[in-house]
Amino acid sequence: MDSQIIPSNPAPVLIAKGIQVHRRHRHILKGVDLELRRGEVIGLVGANGSGKSTFLKAILQFIPRKQGTIEILGRKVESYEPTELARKVAYLAQENECRWPITVARLVALGRIPYQKPWQENSEEDWNIVHEAMKTVAVDHLAGRAVTRLSGGERHRVLFARALASEPEILLADEPTTGLDPYHQLHLMELLRGQAQSGRSVVVVLHDLTQAARFCDRLILLKDGAVLASGTPAHVVSSAHLLSAYGIEAKSFSYAGEHTVIPWSVIS
């Protein structure tokens, strides 16, 4: 996708207000808000069990919410048919297991299903989009290989290509750098940043605070299902917030104009 001129104050493409999720009488999310604008990368951070993945699944209606409203591109999420929503929002899940021995190209091509009628074959245009997605994520050289023969990191990149093949306006990525080596972690985060610069919008769950501070426009820090802090990375990854959310001390500094934070020590 070619770079687009993004308005300085674009209208939100995703608005989530007061999202509450209860499971077995336990409050998983306690009124979480999010407002995502076109061309923006928002990072969801927080300790294990803070509700980050649950929040993404609630946005996509994979799990029911007790209270709260969700609007995507100006419409209530409930008004979308599943295939219509799949054209607007792509989801990159944590799980990357693939048990079918299909080729990488065929797996990435599944991203075109929301645009097709049942049993419809991929058109030449579909395959062009598939190959461009594989090229973008640098897995085009794996196109003919069986997915079951890939490493975990390779599978994660292939699934990211499948998400891009659906040509979404919004990308929701749940810990996309897990299992990747440092080169591919940085490459994938640069790709997410590039997708935003080209006009898409991204919400990404991250555990790496350095990546979150460097690549995200804004962060939402969750603790026990509630928002502890939100705003710029410099505001959210303050010493007080990290102590409260993680029980850690961190070192923060600026390098080449970018805010960076390094977890440093555990506070007993």
Side-chain angles (χ1 to χ4, degrees):
M1 181 186 293
D2 295 332
S3 295
Q4 303 175 16
I5 297 175
I6 300 171
S8 59
N9 189 28
V13 297
L14 169 61
I15 301 174
K17 291 185 177 179
I19 304 303
Q20 296 187 25
V21 173
H22 297 178
R23 284 183 181 173
R24 299 175 182 175
H25 308 292
R26 191 164 73 92
H27 298 267
I28 307 298
L29 295 177
K30 306 170 184 176
V32 177
D33 297 338
L34 177 146
E35 190 170 288
L36 175 68
R37 297 182 182 275
R38 184 166 168 256
E40 187 175 38
V41 179
I42 291 181
L44 296 179
V45 295
N48 291 335
S50 59
K52 304 181 298 297
S53 299
T54 297
F55 187 49
L56 292 190
K57 292 175 182 177
I59 289 173
L60 291 164
Q61 300 197 100
F62 291 169
I63 57 176
R65 60 187 186 275
K66 184 72 173 180
Q67 290 187 26
T69 60
I70 298 169
E71 290 186 8
I72 294 176
L73 298 167
R75 289 171 51 186
K76 299 290 187 184
V77 68
E78 294 86 358
S79 72
Y80 285 94
E81 293 293 331
T83 55
E84 184 184 15
L85 185 61
R87 297 174 191 169
K88 305 298 183 184
V89 185
Y91 174 57
L92 185 60
Q94 286 185 40
E95 300 78 13
N96 66 1
E97 287 297 323
C98 300
R99 302 185 185 279
W100 306 329
I102 62 174
T103 65
V104 166
R106 286 288 178 183
L107 179 60
V108 175
L110 295 178
R112 301 304 299 162
I113 287 178
Y115 297 90
Q116 299 170 345
K117 296 178 182 178
W119 308 110
Q120 179 181 334
E121 291 290 331
N122 289 315
S123 66
E124 181 178 353
E125 179 184 2
D126 288 325
W127 281 117
N128 287 338
I129 292 169
V130 167
H131 289 301
E132 183 62 28
M134 290 191 294
K135 184 178 178 181
T136 298
V137 187
V139 294
D140 47 319
H141 65 291
L142 300 174
R145 187 179 300 181
V147 178
T148 49
R149 299 184 64 185
L150 301 180
S151 68
E154 288 172 331
R155 284 197 303 273
H156 218 100
R157 288 156 53 207
V158 168
L159 292 173
F160 184 47
R162 183 183 68 178
L164 294 185
S166 67
E167 297 186 299
E169 296 190 44
I170 300 169
L171 273 165
L172 305 181
D174 194 353
E175 298 186 33
T177 60
T178 298
L180 300 183
D181 61 45
Y183 172 88
H184 287 105
Q185 287 184 28
L186 290 173
H187 182 231
L188 191 143
M189 291 305 299
E190 289 170 354
L191 285 174
L192 288 175
R193 182 76 257 172
Q195 291 300 307
Q197 290 171 345
S198 69
R200 288 181 172 136
S201 305
V202 178
V203 180
V204 54
V205 172
L206 292 168
H207 277 298
D208 190 314
L209 296 177
T210 303
Q211 292 175 0
R214 180 181 175 192
F215 290 101
C216 298
D217 298 299
R218 291 188 290 127
L219 299 178
I220 297 175
L221 175 59
L222 298 180
K223 179 183 179 182
D224 298 328
V227 176
L228 177 65
S230 65
T232 65
H235 167 69
V236 171
V237 295
S238 70
S239 297
H241 291 150
L242 297 184
L243 176 61
S244 177
Y246 296 99
I248 64 170
E249 178 187 5
K251 304 292 185 181
S252 61
F253 57 93
S254 293
Y255 178 77
E258 295 178 336
H259 185 74
T260 303
V261 60
I262 301 176
W264 197 256
S265 60
V266 173
I267 305 301
S268 58

